Amino acid sequence: SDCGSHRTCENYKCVDPCRTSCGAGADCVVRNHVAVCTCPRLTTGNPFSHCRRLTNKEICAPCGQNTNCQIVGGDQPICSCKPNYFGDPLMGCTRECESDSH
């Protein structure tokens, strides 16, 4: 191709392949005449059609049952057991014995 590696030939003209290849909200870089589309940080989806922001639920997905999740830095979940629950917040928290059944 007579076009530089960051362009592609379309109808006998050198054009930017990112112009028409990626979906809404996607990032695009050109590698060897081909558009490489990706969803940016803090987003998800199909980069060829549409990228959307991650929901808090998706960011907090690593937290186990009976936990609270605090999001720091925009995308870092900090998991902790709910009050009166104990255990590993990534595996899930359980209540300590509330009464002795004996």
Side-chain angles (χ1 to χ4, degrees):
S1 173
D2 293 333
C3 300
S5 64
H6 64 288
R7 313 275 279 175
T8 192
C9 185
E10 187 178 289
N11 296 323
Y12 305 104
K13 293 182 180 177
C14 294
V15 297
D16 178 0
C18 288
R19 187 176 48 122
T20 57
S21 297
C22 300
D27 288 339
C28 183
V29 295
V30 181
R31 293 196 183 117
N32 198 26
H33 311 285
V34 177
V36 178
C37 307
T38 57
C39 287
R41 183 176 175 264
L42 302 180
T43 68
T44 189
N46 179 340
F48 295 99
S49 60
H50 178 75
C51 296
R52 64 168 177 77
R53 284 192 58 81
L54 289 169
T55 64
N56 287 353
K57 184 177 180 178
E58 289 168 323
I59 293 170
C60 289
C63 298
Q65 282 190 314
N66 301 312
T67 60
N68 292 321
C69 177
Q70 179 183 359
I71 300 171
V72 296
D75 68 343
Q76 281 297 112
I78 304 296
C79 309
S80 60
C81 291
K82 289 183 177 181
N84 301 317
Y85 284 80
F86 301 90
D88 180 345
L90 296 177
M91 300 299 292
C93 301
T94 56
R95 283 192 183 269
E96 193 171 49
C97 294
E98 293 181 3
S99 65
D100 189 353
S101 60
H102 296 310

